[in-house]
């Protein structure tokens, strides 16, 4: 589902998995390259991110960029800056104990990146169904 929430654009999907399990996958830097289509490798200060975690991500174009986790509300939301620029927000809206809505939020100017976010949503669902 696409939604404009200016100054952001969001894409979301209902996920048939417990919110805690989805959160675990989203915050484990060891899994980012499994679900993130633009992430080839990660070097992070923390395996499981927290506010202030930092590191580097190797992009699909094979160059490294710095990141910092700027906002984190445990179990529900995290966002980051890539090379100092506000980037994707990741939100989980609990529907019940066994399902949630997973939302990716990007700044309006980065709306074309929603294509990568849609691929990420699909990959996350595939990983959770294994």
């Amino acid at each position: 589902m696409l939604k404009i929430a200016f100054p952001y654009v969001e894409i979301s999907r209902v996920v048939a998995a417990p919110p805690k399990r989805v959160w675990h996958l989203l915050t484990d830097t060891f899994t980012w390259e499994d679900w993130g289509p633009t992430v080839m490798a990660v070097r992070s200060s923390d395996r499981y991110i927290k506010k202030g975690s930092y590191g580097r991500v190797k992009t699909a174009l094979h160059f490294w960029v710095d990141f910092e986790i700027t906002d984190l509300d445990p179990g529900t939301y995290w966002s980051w800056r890539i090379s100092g620029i506000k980037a994707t927000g990741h939100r989980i809206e609990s529907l019940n104990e066994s399902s949630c809505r997973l939302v990716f939020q990007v700044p309006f100017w980065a709306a074309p990146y929603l294509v990568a976010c849609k691929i990420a949503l699909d990959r996350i669902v595939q990983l959770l169904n294994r």
Side-chain angles (χ1 to χ4, degrees):
M1 178 169 129
L2 284 172
K3 177 181 172 185
I4 297 175
F6 197 79
Y8 301 101
V9 186
E10 299 178 346
I11 189 165
S12 65
R13 179 171 177 173
V14 172
V15 178
K20 285 183 182 181
R21 186 167 175 226
V22 178
W23 180 254
H24 181 82
L25 185 70
L26 281 181
T27 58
D28 182 354
T29 60
F30 286 14
T31 67
W32 287 1
E33 61 190 86
D34 296 331
W35 58 263
T38 60
V39 177
M40 304 308 293
V42 179
R43 294 183 185 150
S44 178
S45 61
D46 303 287
R47 177 175 177 176
Y48 295 94
I49 59 166
K50 58 187 177 193
K51 187 172 181 178
S53 292
Y54 62 91
R56 304 185 84 207
V57 172
K58 185 176 183 181
T59 70
L61 299 174
H62 298 283
F63 61 87
W64 290 88
V65 293
D66 295 332
F67 76 83
E68 179 184 3
I69 306 303
T70 54
D71 298 291
L72 191 138
D73 183 10
T76 61
Y77 181 79
W78 70 270
S79 66
W80 59 348
R81 289 188 174 272
I82 302 288
S83 295
I85 299 169
K86 186 164 182 60
T88 319
H90 310 74
R91 185 172 70 245
I92 295 173
E93 299 170 352
S94 180
L95 300 175
N96 55 49
E97 290 182 8
S98 60
S99 68
C100 60
R101 179 178 306 281
L102 177 55
V103 181
F104 287 140
Q105 176 187 67
V106 299
F108 193 77
W109 58 265
Y113 190 69
L114 290 175
V115 173
C117 293
K118 168 67 168 90
I119 294 168
L121 287 170
D122 294 343
R123 287 182 178 180
I124 287 167
V125 168
Q126 289 173 358
L127 290 168
L128 292 167
N129 287 331
R130 288 186 180 170

